[in-house]
Amino acid sequence: MGGFNLQVITFGKLQAQDGQGDALMDIIRQHMDYLKQQPGLVQGYVARCNGNSNKFLVVSVWANEEAQQAAMTRLSTDPEATKGFLQMMQLLNGQPDFGNYTVESIVK
């Protein structure tokens, strides 16, 4: 592809236990503060479901797969980030749905 690096999009669909939506939002914000310090992050989004304040969609767009993988490696070795992830898991109703996708096309 002539040196062109394809962007990568990661997402997490999370549902908090009843009454834990605001607490989960606080932890997600802390996670996003960590992500925005990472090289290669293009954009990050946190969205709350219309009609269900316990459901969230967290999306990050990375310049390329290498940047995303490097950030995840740093995240997994950072004690504060690991603590936040464990706190988040305790607030969830069921398992999160995580995905990692390579961008094939961009339309503006």
Side-chain angles (χ1 to χ4, degrees), residues 54-74:
N54 289 320
K55 289 177 79 172
F56 297 87
L57 176 64
V58 181
V59 178
S60 57
V61 181
W62 297 89
N64 53 54
E65 187 175 4
E66 292 77 15
Q68 187 269 333
Q69 291 295 325
M72 293 306 103
T73 298
R74 284 189 291 275

Side-chain angles (χ1 to χ4, degrees), residues 3 10 20 23 29-30 41-42 47 49 52 59 64-65 68 77 79 84-85 91 95 99 101 103 107:
T10 63
Q20 297 296 320
R29 280 195 181 112
Q30 291 170 21
L41 179 70
V42 176
C49 181
N52 185 343
V59 178
N64 53 54
E65 187 175 4
Q68 187 269 333
T77 59
F85 184 79
L91 296 175
Q95 291 296 309
Y101 291 78
V103 175
V107 178

Side-chain angles (χ1 to χ4, degrees), residues 87-105:
Q87 290 173 333
M88 179 187 75
M89 294 301 285
Q90 292 172 354
L91 296 175
L92 296 183
N93 179 5
Q95 291 296 309
D97 181 8
F98 292 120
N100 193 341
Y101 291 78
T102 299
V103 175
E104 298 288 336
S105 177

